[in-house]
């Protein structure tokens, strides 16, 4: 039963909670707003960076595709001439001029070569006095010798035996008229060609752009590496995780080469066994964001500290002004609760019920209205105590009290422990039908709770109820109503228990008076 102070002033506790709540709300609002703004700013920086590196990758992809396609077209033309016209001495002279002119006209190609089936250098774009070499030991030459595939082959970086430069070999197979291996046509692209192009791209000092074969062998990288020719990225996340799922995308990855965490964009070059990727270091991306974040957090910290200090000062004033009143209210409230609460079930006790009944009876008499009383008793409770013990019996009473309390919802209604295993419910301004409905609801809730009672013929705990609805009049006693509801409870017990018996009476009527409405009985078949 809740007791409210008649004072219109807020209590010390309420003022303290309001103050703490206000400061907390303001502080949380500031923190959440700042966190949201910082999160949005971080997301925008990441999205913007992903767009930037994607554009860089597309530019590098286009450059690589143009370079390799031009080299491939040149090789196709050379192979067609060789396979059609042969390699006689006069034809070699014509090819040499054509190859030299192609090197001058096609950007990116350093040199062109034609090798016979034994790897001997037959003709190249270099001057006539350049010493010829044998390249039968090169990986690209062995590939064409062992594979009949006539498609373009891009090999790993090699060191040119003519110039000493690091070059990327682009080659195609030359076939004899009978389809057997007749040699290789080769174009070389300097690694520096891509390095120079990458240097023009807008990435930070710790950023990276690279071109690699599908197997992970590096072809070019910014910044360059001393071990460029022997570096393989196959174990990196781009090759091992992301390219297996999609040919292009973006991701935040820690480099396997230098350990720097970057925001990468990657793309597999269409139609070529090449991957292009670019990354901007997270340190560079988030440096301005962190500066903004630290400033924001410092400002929020100062504001919250100021609010906290002000709150402490106000709190101390509230405590000093209202301590005595709070202590008095607590003591009074404790005494009221103790005096009107059943210590076992924490429901209202018999005293509280008697006071409430007297008050509601007088109100019903003044308003010429009705009220109802439900008296409930646990069936075979003595046997329950004998079988399970009194401690378990107390727990049973608590559980029943909770079920009854949850079934009484109106603020004006009162559920109380009447004594022993008996409970009572007072329902102001309620007719018999409404009271019977609530009594039946309580009975069914007890049945549905499935409280074990092996000493009961039913096997589970049940209750019986007597219900009376009274039309009160001024100065009429309510003893008759209590006697009648007790009689109805006894009737329910004698008729087999686990049932509700109800009746509507006039306040002045005797318990068995014929002037009352005919008894209303709700029979229940035990489950």
């Amino acid at each position: 039963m809740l007791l409210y102070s008649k004072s219109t002033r807020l209590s010390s506790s309420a003022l303290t909670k309001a103050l703490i709540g206000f400061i907390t709300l303001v502080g949380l609002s500031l923190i959440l707003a700042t966190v949201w703004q910082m999160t949005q700013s971080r997301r925008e920086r990441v999205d913007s960076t992903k767009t930037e590196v994607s554009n860089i990758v597309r530019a590098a992809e286009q450059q690589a595709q143009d370079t390799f396609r031009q080299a491939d077209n040149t090789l196709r033309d050379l192979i067609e001439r060789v396979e059609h016209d042969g390699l006689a001495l006069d034809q070699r002279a014509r090819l040499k001029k054509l190859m030299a002119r192609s090197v001058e006209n096609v950007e990116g190609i350093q040199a062109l070569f034609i090798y016979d089936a034994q790897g001997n250098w037959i003709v190249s774009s270099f001057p006539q006095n350049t010493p010829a070499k044998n390249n039968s030991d090169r990986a690209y030459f062995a590939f064409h010798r062992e594979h009949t595939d006539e498609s373009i082959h891009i090999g790993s970086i090699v060191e040119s035996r003519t110039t000493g430069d690091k070059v990327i070999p682009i080659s195609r197979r030359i076939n004899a008229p009978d389809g057997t291996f007749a040699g290789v046509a080769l174009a070389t692209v300097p690694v520096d060609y891509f390095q120079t192009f990458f240097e023009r791209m807008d990435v930070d000092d710790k950023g990276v752009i690279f071109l690699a074969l599908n197997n992970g062998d590096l072809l070019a990288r910014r910044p360059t590496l001393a071990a460029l020719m022997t570096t393989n990225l196959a174990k990196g996340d781009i090759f091992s995780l992301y390219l297996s799922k999609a040919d292009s995308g973006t991701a935040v990855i820690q480099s396997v080469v230098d350990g720097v965490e970057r925001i990468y964009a990657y793309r597999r070059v269409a139609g070529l066994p090449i991957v292009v990727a670019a990354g901007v270091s997270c340190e560079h991306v988030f440096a301005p964001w962190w500066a903004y974040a630290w400033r924001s957090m410092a400002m929020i910290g100062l504001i919250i500290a100021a609010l906290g200090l002000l709150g402490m000062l106000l709190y101390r004033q509230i405590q000093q002004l209202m301590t005595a009143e709070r202590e008095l209210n607590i003591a009074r409230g404790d005494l009221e609760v103790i005096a009107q609460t059943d210590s076992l079930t924490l429901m209202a006790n018999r005293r509280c019920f008697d006071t409430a009944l007297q008050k509601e009876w007088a109100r019903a008499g003044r308003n010429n209205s009705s009220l109802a009383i439900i008296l409930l008793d646990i069936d075979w409770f003595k046997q329950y105590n004998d079988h399970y013990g009194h401690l378990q019996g107390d727990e049973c009473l608590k559980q029943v009290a909770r079920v009854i309390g949850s079934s009484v919802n109106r603020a004006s209604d009162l559920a109380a422990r009447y004594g022993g295993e008996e409970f009572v419910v007072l329902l102001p301004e309620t007719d018999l039908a409404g009271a019977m409905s609530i009594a039946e609801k309580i009975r069914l809730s007890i049945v549905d709770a499935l409280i074990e009672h092996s000493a009961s013929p039913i096997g589970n705990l049940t209750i019986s109820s007597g219900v009376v609805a009274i039309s009160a009049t001024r100065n009429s006693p309510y003893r008759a109503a209590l006697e009648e509801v007790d009689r109805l409870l006894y009737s329910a017990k004698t008729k087999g228990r686990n049932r509700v018996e109800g009746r509507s009476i006039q306040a002045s009527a005797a318990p068995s008076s014929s002037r009352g409405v005919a008894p209303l009985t709700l029979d229940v078949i035990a489950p």
Side-chain angles (χ1 to χ4, degrees), residues 28 42 139 184 258 355 407 458 480:
L28 284 176
R42 183 184 179 91
V184 172
D258 53 21
T355 301
S407 302
I458 299 174

Side-chain angles (χ1 to χ4, degrees), residues 158-450:
V158 296
E159 185 176 307
S160 173
R161 289 170 174 167
T162 303
T163 64
D165 298 331
K166 291 183 177 66
V167 295
I168 302 170
I170 306 166
S171 57
R172 275 185 170 274
R173 175 187 170 108
I174 301 174
N175 289 325
D178 60 357
T180 58
F181 178 64
V184 172
L186 172 71
T188 58
V189 176
V191 173
D192 288 344
Y193 174 74
F194 288 107
Q195 299 284 151
T196 303
F197 177 78
F198 290 166
E199 290 297 330
R200 299 200 296 267
M201 298 291 100
D202 186 19
V203 294
D204 62 294
D205 292 340
K206 291 187 178 181
V208 67
I209 308 173
F210 69 79
L211 188 70
L213 293 174
N214 281 344
N215 64 5
D217 286 348
L218 272 177
L219 298 180
R221 186 181 188 273
R222 172 195 171 184
T224 189
L225 297 172
L228 183 66
M229 293 177 60
T230 58
T231 301
N232 185 279
L233 306 178
K235 294 183 179 180
D237 288 349
I238 289 179
F239 286 85
S240 61
L241 295 179
Y242 294 102
L243 282 172
S244 61
K245 299 175 182 177
D247 287 340
S248 63
T250 58
V252 179
I253 301 171
Q254 187 172 12
S255 171
V256 295
V257 176
D258 53 21
V260 177
E261 187 177 48
R262 300 183 178 94
I263 298 176
Y264 280 92
Y266 58 89
R267 180 178 291 272
R268 200 187 298 276
V269 179
L272 294 174
I274 293 173
V275 174
V276 181
V280 178
S281 69
C282 292
E283 179 183 339
H284 171 77
V285 173
F286 294 122
W289 182 85
W290 275 114
Y292 160 75
W294 285 117
R295 287 195 303 269
S296 298
M297 286 188 287
M299 185 177 298
I300 293 299
L302 290 174
I303 294 174
I304 292 176
L307 285 173
L309 179 60
L310 178 61
M312 289 180 60
L313 294 175
L314 292 175
Y315 174 77
R316 292 179 61 183
Q317 292 298 317
I318 292 172
Q319 294 301 305
Q320 292 173 2
L321 291 173
M322 305 187 70
T323 297
E325 182 179 358
R326 183 178 64 250
E327 292 176 352
L328 179 61
N329 288 337
I330 291 173
R332 183 171 59 194
D334 289 344
L335 288 175
E336 289 289 341
V337 170
I338 292 172
Q340 300 193 44
T341 303
D342 177 65
S343 59
L344 177 64
T345 63
L346 302 182
M347 299 178 76
N349 59 14
R350 175 71 176 270
R351 176 184 176 186
C352 180
F353 169 75
D354 290 340
T355 301
L357 177 59
Q358 185 176 4
K359 178 181 176 182
E360 293 298 337
W361 187 271
R363 178 182 293 135
R366 290 193 302 271
N367 299 335
N368 196 25
S369 60
S370 65
L371 60 82
I373 300 173
I374 304 173
L375 187 62
L376 310 98
D377 185 80
I378 300 175
D379 296 330
W380 293 290
F381 189 68
K382 181 179 182 304
Q383 289 82 349
Y384 187 95
N385 272 336
D386 292 343
H387 183 78
Y388 294 100
H390 288 281
L391 290 179
Q392 186 62 31
D394 288 346
E395 291 300 320
C396 176
L397 289 171
K398 293 178 184 178
Q399 193 168 357
V400 171
R402 286 194 293 269
V403 173
I404 295 172
S406 65
S407 302
V408 178
N409 300 320
R410 294 189 309 177
S412 59
D413 299 340
L414 176 68
R417 186 181 180 191
Y418 200 64
E421 69 271 22
E422 289 186 332
F423 298 86
V424 66
V425 179
L426 178 62
L427 304 169
E429 298 184 358
T430 304
D431 59 13
L432 181 61
M436 291 290 287
S437 175
I438 293 175
E440 177 64 6
K441 178 183 176 182
I442 295 173
R443 187 195 68 78
L444 290 175
S445 297
I446 295 295
V447 171
D448 292 340
L450 298 176

Side-chain angles (χ1 to χ4, degrees), residues 144-157:
H144 290 300
R145 183 174 55 204
E146 297 167 4
H147 295 80
T148 59
D149 185 5
E150 297 181 8
S151 62
I152 185 174
H153 178 267
I154 301 174
S156 301
I157 298 174

